[in-house]
Amino acid sequence: MQKKQELYAGKAKSVFLTDDADRLVLHFRNDTTAFDGEKKAQLERKGAINNRFNAFIMTRLAEHGIETHFEKLLGPNESVVKRLTMFPVECVVRNIAAGSICKRLGIQEGIDLNPPTFEFFLKNDALHDPMINEYHIRAFGWAADAEVARMKELTFKVNDVLKRLFMAAGLLLVDYKLEFGAFHGRVLLGDEFTPDGCRLWDSNTRKKLDKDRFRQGLGGVVEAYEEVAQRLGVDLSGI
Ligand code: ADP
Ligand code: UDP
């Protein structure tokens, strides 16, 4: 398989075509952004850590029957993935209140959400990713009803698998964002699962070990990602 021209450069990853119409190369960059791209930085080694982290999580999810786009690691910052037709929505599950839900609903950070909540957001930086619901997805044709149902089902299944996985590593999975796409009629998990797109707290101290360290200027961002990776047993050799 040969890497071809860049298809798209997002805020943190670049996507390359390949000589296989069904495969892409995903390149994890060191670029880190917050607040819809307003705050930006280059964080040394973040891209390579996230590439390995994502490969590890996607592999664990596949072992539990969740179909993902991940195929294999290609280089320090790159993975081969299936080319999906992405749905322009983000699926967010929250186990503990943090981030936007606290502001939106005036809720104190750290409160347990039992049962967990599910939210859809429209992927649109210019509009600051507004919250939407299933009626908007249906009215604007962003996904079919069966695809919406599948995204929700898979997002909750990911929660069952990952809450346990992180718990065993002494970590609380506070919340996370997933993106899905269609591949030959099936709904697959796409994009990434890394500390850039979820919140992880130490179970005992509740120390933040995710992108909130960057958002809130707490420092030690890459060190936190590395600590989480090491606790999970992600292979970081050579990076
Ligand atoms: P953003 O677009 O939010 O700035 P990234 O920098 O992470 O985000 O860019 C990656 C882009 O690639 C996202 O738009 C994401 O939806 C898209 N993408 C992720 N996985 C796939 C895939 N398997 N097939 C096609 N597009 C994908
Ligand atoms: N998230 C993300 N990309 C987005 C918006 C949110 O990865 O464009 C993740 C975020 O890291 C967190 C979860 O989704 O783990 C919920 O985010 P929230 O709605 O609280 O928004 P925030 O205040 O983090 O922007």
Side-chain angles (χ1 to χ4, degrees), residues 176-193:
Y176 56 91
K177 180 267 298 178
L178 302 180
E179 292 180 30
F180 294 88
F183 186 77
H184 298 294
R186 301 199 306 277
V187 174
L188 269 61
L189 175 62
D191 204 48
E192 67 178 292
F193 193 104

Side-chain angles (χ1 to χ4, degrees), residues 8 10-13 15 24 69 82 84 86 123 179 191:
Y8 174 74
K11 295 187 294 296
K13 300 193 292 301
V15 177
L24 295 172
H69 68 157
K82 291 188 177 71
L84 310 183
M86 300 301 289
K123 235 183 109 64
E179 292 180 30
D191 204 48

Side-chain angles (χ1 to χ4, degrees), residues 92-105 107-119 156 159 163 166-167 170-176 198-208 210 212:
V92 171
V93 159
R94 301 176 193 271
N95 296 305
I96 299 175
S100 71
I101 198 173
C102 295
K103 280 197 211 124
R104 196 179 337 117
L105 302 179
I107 286 167
Q108 201 189 318
E109 181 181 89
I111 287 174
D112 277 339
L113 301 173
N114 194 11
T117 62
F118 182 99
E119 295 157 357
F156 278 117
N159 203 31
K163 260 197 311 192
F166 286 117
M167 181 81 78
L171 297 161
L172 293 170
L173 177 57
V174 173
D175 59 30
Y176 56 91
C198 70
R199 290 191 168 91
L200 296 165
W201 294 352
D202 179 274
S203 305
N204 294 321
T205 64
R206 298 212 156 195
K207 181 183 173 186
K208 295 179 200 279
D210 54 66
D212 268 352

Side-chain angles (χ1 to χ4, degrees), residues 52-72:
R52 293 275 182 93
F53 196 105
N54 179 63
F56 179 90
I57 297 289
M58 292 276 171
T59 304
R60 297 290 86 73
L61 293 176
E63 286 166 3
H64 286 84
I66 297 159
E67 254 197 303
T68 85
H69 68 157
F70 178 77
E71 293 211 326
K72 61 174 183 182

